[in-house]
């Protein structure tokens, strides 16, 4: 029996498995460095994907004003063009704007030109809305990356790719109590780094998505996290890359 086909098949399967892990896993840096922690266990970065959403984002902004919270919003370019006033308001209230591509594309399947177009069109939409510099940070939709993404991010003049340490699984409609229970794991004592938490203020499929459960869960947790001594930071103010926690410039 010839063992080489078996060895080659096993090797191909192993390579495919490593590639899949590198493309999807939040902890992977196979395709370039990422940010997934804050610099201190007492600091949380609340991050929001798929907005701006006129049905939910203004409610979050009011809630954050009440609790002196600063957050990071990764915006979809096509929605930013429809809601430029809301984009300006997010920025004016002291929150950080990030790039979540123009159409919420799965970048794993994109070549360099496609990645460039998705990033550039979102950059333009946000910069046009605010009249300021475009975002410095990108979060790839679904967290999917490929080996070409890091180079395109750098060529676009952005600082880097932001992943996460906690995923709230809040993108489906659900009772607020369910999300409240799930967020109980955030900001627990221990470790030298803090959580970057992924939440959603929008629905990438259409404007106006119902994310009321997210607002309700944060209404519950924000004062409790504050009472526990937690500081809320943006990615820009407290970004730490990778599993070793090397501070990014």
């Amino acid at each position: 029996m010839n063992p080489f086909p078996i060895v080659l098949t096993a090797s191909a399967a192993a390579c495919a498995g490593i590639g899949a892990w590198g493309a999807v896993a939040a902890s992977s840096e196979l395709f370039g460095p990422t940010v997934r922690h804050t610099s201190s266990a007492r600091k949380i970065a609340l991050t929001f994907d798929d907005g701006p959403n006129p049905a939910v984002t203004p409610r979050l902004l009011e809630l954050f004003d009440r609790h002196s919270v600063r957050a990071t919003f990764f915006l979809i370019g096509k929605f930013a063009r429809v809601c430029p006033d809301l984009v300006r308001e997010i920025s004016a209230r002291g929150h950080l704007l990030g790039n979540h591509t123009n159409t919420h594309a799965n970048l794993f399947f994109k070549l360099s030109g496609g990645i460039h177009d998705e990033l550039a069109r979102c950059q333009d939409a946000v910069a046009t809305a605010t009249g300021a510099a475009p975002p410095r940070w990108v979060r790839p939709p679904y967290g999917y990356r490929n080996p070409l993404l890091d180079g395109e991010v750098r060529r676009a003049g952005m600082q880097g790719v932001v992943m996460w340490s906690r995923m709230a699984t809040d993108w489906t409609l659900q009772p607020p109590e369910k999300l409240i229970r799930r967020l109980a794991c955030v900001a627990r004592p221990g470790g030298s780094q803090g959580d970057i938490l992924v939440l959603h203020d929008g629905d990438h499929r259409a404007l106006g998505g119902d994310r009321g459960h997210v607002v309700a869960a944060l209404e519950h947790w924000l004062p409790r996290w504050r009472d526990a001594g937690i500081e809320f930071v943006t990615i820009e103010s407290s970004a730490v890359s990778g599993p070793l926690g090397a501070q990014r410039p």
Side-chain angles (χ1 to χ4, degrees):
M1 179 178 179
N2 188 344
F4 290 106
I6 297 175
V7 172
L8 291 174
T9 299
S11 298
C15 290
I18 292 171
W21 173 81
V24 177
S27 61
S28 166
E29 294 193 315
L30 181 64
F31 297 148
T34 65
V35 172
R36 59 188 185 89
H37 290 285
T38 68
S39 60
S40 166
R42 309 310 299 173
K43 296 179 180 180
I44 294 178
L46 299 179
T47 68
F48 294 84
D49 290 1
D50 295 357
N53 179 5
V56 173
T57 309
R59 296 169 61 189
L60 287 173
L61 297 179
E62 293 297 330
L63 178 63
F64 293 161
D65 279 354
R66 294 202 304 270
H67 294 284
S68 300
V69 169
R70 294 295 174 263
T72 302
F73 289 81
F74 289 96
L75 306 181
I76 296 176
K78 65 179 182 179
F79 294 159
R81 286 187 195 86
V82 177
C83 307
D85 291 345
L86 184 52
V87 175
R88 283 192 294 273
E89 184 176 2
I90 296 170
S91 180
R93 294 201 187 203
H95 305 289
L96 185 68
L97 303 179
N99 186 319
H100 201 43
T101 74
N102 187 59
T103 66
H104 202 269
N106 185 338
L107 298 181
F108 179 76
F109 297 107
K110 294 287 186 180
L111 298 178
S112 292
I115 295 173
H116 172 81
D117 184 65
E118 284 287 340
L119 298 181
R121 293 185 67 196
C122 183
Q123 293 287 84
D124 179 70
V126 176
T128 298
T130 62
R136 285 163 46 86
W137 302 93
V138 59
R139 172 170 286 149
Y142 316 104
Y144 286 2
R145 292 149 285 157
N146 72 20
L148 303 172
L149 175 60
D150 187 64
E152 291 303 322
V153 168
R154 303 301 172 184
R155 276 189 280 277
M158 286 190 277
Q159 185 75 18
V161 174
V162 179
M163 298 296 281
W164 56 82
S165 60
R166 299 282 184 184
M167 174 72 78
T169 318
D170 63 332
W171 53 81
T172 59
L173 192 60
Q174 57 194 272
E177 294 77 18
K178 185 175 181 180
L179 183 55
I180 288 170
R181 289 193 298 271
R182 194 177 298 122
L183 293 179
C185 65
V186 176
R188 286 181 174 171
S192 61
Q193 299 173 353
D195 282 324
I196 293 179
L197 176 63
V198 178
L199 294 159
H200 293 76
D201 62 326
D203 183 335
H204 71 271
R205 296 167 296 185
L207 279 174
D210 186 351
R211 297 290 181 258
H213 55 285
V214 176
V215 178
L218 290 174
E219 286 174 337
H220 173 89
W221 277 113
L222 287 183
R224 289 165 173 81
W225 286 334
R226 273 285 185 208
D227 290 346
I230 296 299
E231 179 185 356
F232 300 97
V233 298
T234 68
I235 296 299
E236 191 73 36
S237 62
S238 185
V240 172
S241 69
L244 299 181
Q247 188 72 38
R248 294 176 82 79

